[in-house]
Amino acid sequence: MITVQLSSMTTYFRVSDGVRVRFADNKAESDTTVLLLSPWPESLWAFRRIWDRVAALGRAVAIDLPGFGHSDGRPELIAPDSAGAFLARLIDEWGLGAPHIVGPDVGTAAALFLAANSPQRVTSLTIGGGAVRFPIEAGGALKNIIEAPSLDVVRELDARTNISAAVGAAAASATEPEAHEDYVSAYDLGRFAESARFVRHYPEQNPVLRDLLPSITTPTQILAGGHDDLVPWSNNEYLDDLLPHSEIHRLDAGHFAWEQAADDYGRLVADWISGGYRRSQWGE
């Protein structure tokens, strides 16, 4: 087994559903389990600034979703609904019970499909920063990728240069070279275009999700940056309007709120998982 350590997170690889998945696991014995889903175009190292706080709550497991970060992928798994189904299988296979899910960015759609189709496998959700609204509202490079006529257009991009620029605000190469290179290398050699399949499914899957949202009874916390040029704040308000048991927090950050506002993000996640999720569940 290959292990890599950055800060207090140690990563491993394990096969689930025939796919090699990179993950971090504090291996704590606890009745509380937290499952964190990597954002895009980053990896599970996106949680390095909140990891200690989350790990103090119980067992903490972070994964690179199939096709993202340094996990392997199959085209059919790189879509919101199939990622949600994959998570259901992984939760069962890895014996995670009914974890609290922390799923920013692309993890938002995957977590919502999981909660809609397998509610017994989830205790609560912390999501946000995903372009899940319908009609779609996205900006900048994300909008261009979603609307590109084909994946060939995305393949023509210089992924290393573009991702390096995109993640600079969250993990600058000068100050955090290990995290920066982990992000950039994750999507080199054609992997960025393959991972883009996920957001290119939004046009047909966001309407499906819209119809499912009112039926999702899982307590949901919506956390996102209020100055996000890629995923406008309206996406988070949309979720808060349609989900029956939700609360919303607007953070003073751009798209990478889990890193740019890590203190607030970690504090809110910890408060939520420590019992705050019951406020939404029982209307407290």
Side-chain angles (χ1 to χ4, degrees):
M1 177 179 288
I2 299 172
T3 65
V4 178
Q5 188 160 358
L6 180 66
S7 183
S8 60
M9 297 179 74
T10 301
T11 64
Y12 313 87
F13 286 91
R14 177 176 176 178
V15 174
S16 180
D17 193 24
V19 174
R20 195 180 71 140
V21 175
R22 187 174 72 158
F23 69 103
D25 187 350
N26 72 343
K27 302 180 181 180
E29 293 288 338
S30 176
D31 293 333
T32 298
T33 300
V34 186
L35 177 60
L36 303 97
L37 314 178
S38 60
W40 182 64
E42 298 183 300
S43 72
L44 55 80
W45 291 128
F47 301 115
R48 67 196 179 282
R49 295 178 185 164
I50 68 168
W51 180 254
D52 288 346
R53 199 161 199 166
V54 174
L57 304 172
R59 185 179 180 188
V61 178
I63 68 167
D64 286 338
L65 287 163
F68 294 97
H70 290 272
S71 288
D72 293 341
R74 296 194 302 267
E76 66 271 18
L77 291 179
I78 308 176
D81 58 355
S82 56
F86 174 86
L87 288 171
R89 294 190 293 272
L90 181 144
I91 288 168
D92 286 350
E93 191 176 315
W94 291 14
L96 301 183
H100 296 270
I101 305 290
V102 178
D105 189 66
V106 292
T108 294
L112 287 168
F113 272 107
L114 168 66
N117 295 319
S118 301
Q120 73 280 9
R121 293 184 174 92
V122 188
T123 295
S124 79
L125 302 177
T126 295
I127 55 175
V132 294
R133 192 183 187 281
F134 189 79
I136 292 174
E137 290 192 9
L142 177 59
K143 176 180 172 67
N144 294 337
I145 290 170
I146 293 171
E147 296 180 352
S150 72
L151 269 182
D152 288 337
V153 175
V154 185
R155 292 189 180 100
E156 291 172 358
L157 299 173
D158 184 334
R160 175 167 280 270
T161 298
N162 283 282
I163 293 172
S164 180
V167 303
S173 59
T175 56
E176 293 187 284
E178 296 91 350
H180 185 91
E181 179 59 24
D182 191 81
Y183 295 167
V184 174
S185 62
Y187 299 99
D188 212 355
L189 304 175
R191 281 178 55 88
F192 180 68
E194 290 302 304
S195 66
R197 293 178 185 274
F198 191 98
V199 300
R200 288 174 57 78
H201 281 291
Y202 286 169
E204 75 266 14
Q205 293 203 5
N206 282 11
V208 176
L209 189 57
R210 172 198 58 196
D211 295 339
L212 290 172
L213 289 175
S215 69
I216 296 174
T217 57
T218 305
T220 302
Q221 176 176 224
I222 303 162
L223 297 183
H227 315 296
D228 191 338
D229 294 331
L230 296 175
V231 181
W233 181 251
S234 58
N235 285 275
N236 305 299
E237 292 177 319
Y238 172 84
L239 291 176
D240 193 41
D241 288 342
L242 292 179
L243 289 166
H245 302 295
S246 66
E247 64 180 54
I248 188 168
H249 300 273
R250 182 175 182 141
L251 303 180
D252 185 15
H255 180 66
F256 303 99
W258 44 92
E259 288 162 288
Q260 294 172 316
D263 286 346
D264 287 337
Y265 197 98
R267 173 180 55 79
L268 287 164
V269 167
D271 173 73
W272 177 259
I273 293 171
S274 297
Y277 70 95
R278 296 188 180 94
R279 292 193 300 266
S280 178
Q281 186 177 25
W282 305 114
E284 295 177 6

